[in-house]
Amino acid sequence: MLPAMPRSILSSPKSLVAPLTANISRPTATAINRHSFTRRFISAYGYEQAKALTFPRHGEPADVLRLHGHSISPAHGQSLTLRFLASPINPADINQIQGVYPTKPTFTTSLGTPEPIAVGGNEGVAEVQSCGKDVKGLTKGDWVIMRAPGFGTWRTHAQTDSSNLLKIEDKSGLNPIQIGTVSVNPCTAYRMLKDFVRVGEGEWFVQNGANSGVGRAAIQLGRLWGYKSINIIRDRPEGVEKLKAELKELGADVVVTDTEAQEKGFGEKVKEWTNGGREGVPLGLNCVGGKIVNAMAKVLSPGAHLVTYGAMSKQPVQLPTGLLIFKNISFDGFWVSKWSEQNPEEKKRTVDDVLNLTRQGKFKDIPVEEVVWNHDTKQDELVHAVQGTLEGFRKGKNVFIFGNT
């Protein structure tokens, strides 16, 4: 749920809320580790001047998103003030704004608006900027991620309590993008590879959406755990071979396009790759839907599980009845948001494991497009970055990087 926040001091005289600035040293949220001086915008009474990308109703991001400025009072009691460092733009965030995602945002007037608004974004990393006297387990300078979705992470600052947060126990050797993108895609891949069926060392899994954040994570984790992978990507006018080579460098064993996977004879190719079928394919991962799932299901081993975690094509999953009867294939769904709510401690262990692998150089970052958000960044720039997530073939995930806020 969206945490309660103090109302804007809308009635305060301009002289009381004019920003005063203080230079403090803190890590910037860039994809490389470096430090610079950032500027804090604080009113005469210590109120943090914050901005958030909000929406008053559901709709297309370009139509409903607005940049809203408000003030946050000094932390007190069990409250603490956060300054965000990095917040990705995920497809689920867009669906939430559109009103078609199961997790609904909380519309509230607590940010000083006469009508309720909600803050976009569900994932990110923030730095604890100040703590009330009763806060336990967190101190100024700690980095935290959100315990569950619905917090609203597309904002420069927030005030909340520790129950909504997971502390990053060891941030050494890590940057904000690595931490800010760990709780959705890597956790989804990790749990699907571990929780539905035992994949033995030397066995295979097949997945579509292989160049997505989840797909790239699954390739890397599978390689580390001794699994082999058949990876399906969307066919495209150009860049196919380059993308195939990129995924193989991550650890993919086989990469094919969805066109190739639906051609006659694909099953025979899979048999060849799997040592004449002696190496099992007990798991399939689906985020696309439509006819490609049928092609994947046909190459699964008897008793396999096919796990659906997305529907990018917006097409239903259609399966021959014979696969259910004669191969006893199970079709499962996975929603990382619900899993996180139900398993907070396991989520923390999963996050810590992935971050340890990242620190050791065994797990690589996803490709990202940095969207710098400073105090003077215009609304149009931020909204364009969100709307751009819906466009065709992108070079990487858009991530808000908070600079001078």
Side-chain angles (χ1 to χ4, degrees), residues 342-357:
Q342 295 175 342
N343 303 276
E345 295 306 315
E346 191 63 29
K347 176 182 177 177
K348 188 176 190 311
R349 284 190 289 270
T350 303
V351 166
D352 288 343
D353 196 7
V354 173
L355 292 180
N356 283 333
L357 293 172

Side-chain angles (χ1 to χ4, degrees), residues 43-346:
S43 74
Y45 286 102
Y47 282 72
E48 197 76 51
Q49 303 303 296
K51 292 187 177 181
L53 203 52
T54 66
F55 52 105
R57 64 186 183 280
H58 293 301
E60 290 301 313
D63 298 330
V64 299
L65 285 177
R66 300 291 182 269
L67 185 61
H68 172 66
H70 62 103
S71 298
I72 297 177
S73 64
H76 58 281
Q78 295 185 348
S79 69
L80 44 83
T81 301
L82 306 177
R83 175 185 180 269
F84 275 87
L85 303 176
S87 298
I89 304 171
N90 292 310
D93 302 329
I94 309 299
N95 295 152
Q96 192 176 63
I97 294 169
Q98 294 167 329
V100 297
Y101 198 67
T103 297
K104 304 301 181 184
T106 299
F107 290 88
T108 176
T109 59
S110 63
L111 277 69
T113 55
E115 300 297 328
I117 59 174
V119 180
N122 290 280
E123 185 182 25
V125 60
E127 180 182 61
V128 176
Q129 196 160 268
S130 60
C131 298
K133 63 182 180 62
D134 298 325
V135 172
K136 308 293 184 184
L138 288 169
T139 59
K140 181 179 179 180
D142 286 342
W143 286 11
V144 295
I145 61 174
M146 286 56 251
R147 185 176 292 272
F151 187 93
T153 58
W154 297 349
R155 58 171 107 195
T156 61
H157 302 79
Q159 192 167 95
T160 185
D161 61 65
S162 59
S163 66
N164 294 310
L165 307 171
L166 288 177
K167 178 182 176 182
I168 302 301
E169 299 294 346
D170 182 8
K171 63 189 181 196
S172 63
L174 300 169
N175 64 56
I177 289 180
Q178 292 167 332
I179 297 176
T181 58
V182 72
S183 62
V184 173
N185 292 336
C187 285
T188 297
Y190 193 113
R191 299 322 319 175
M192 289 193 301
L193 289 174
K194 287 289 189 183
D195 292 350
F196 290 90
V197 64
R198 182 184 179 279
V199 182
E201 188 170 347
E203 289 190 315
W204 296 71
F205 68 93
V206 58
Q207 65 168 341
N208 57 35
N211 60 310
S212 67
V214 174
R216 289 169 181 266
I219 289 170
Q220 295 182 78
L221 292 171
R223 179 198 58 188
L224 289 170
W225 298 335
Y227 309 162
K228 299 177 183 179
S229 60
I230 300 168
N231 300 275
I232 303 170
I233 60 174
R234 280 188 297 170
D235 212 344
R236 57 201 68 207
E238 57 184 23
V240 170
E241 294 306 317
K242 181 180 179 181
L243 180 55
K244 286 183 176 182
E246 184 180 332
L247 296 182
K248 286 183 178 180
E249 187 177 345
L250 281 180
D253 294 277
V254 176
V255 185
V256 298
T257 66
D258 49 3
T259 301
E260 294 168 331
Q262 295 178 79
E263 290 175 345
K264 186 177 181 180
F266 179 64
E268 288 302 312
K269 290 182 179 179
V270 172
K271 187 175 181 180
E272 180 182 333
W273 296 329
T274 59
N275 192 21
R278 287 184 286 274
E279 297 167 357
V281 187
L283 180 64
L285 307 178
N286 165 49
C287 68
V288 176
K291 293 181 179 179
I292 189 62
V293 182
N294 194 346
M296 293 169 59
K298 288 179 179 179
V299 303
L300 292 173
S301 300
H305 285 247
L306 198 154
V307 185
T308 292
Y309 65 98
M312 292 172 59
S313 71
K314 298 183 180 179
Q315 298 297 316
V317 174
Q318 298 178 346
L319 302 163
T321 306
L323 294 178
L324 295 170
I325 299 172
F326 304 116
K327 294 184 74 174
N328 192 30
I329 293 175
S330 298
F331 296 90
D332 309 278
F334 182 74
W335 183 23
V336 73
S337 297
K338 179 62 68 176
W339 177 86
S340 297
E341 290 178 357
Q342 295 175 342
N343 303 276
E345 295 306 315
E346 191 63 29

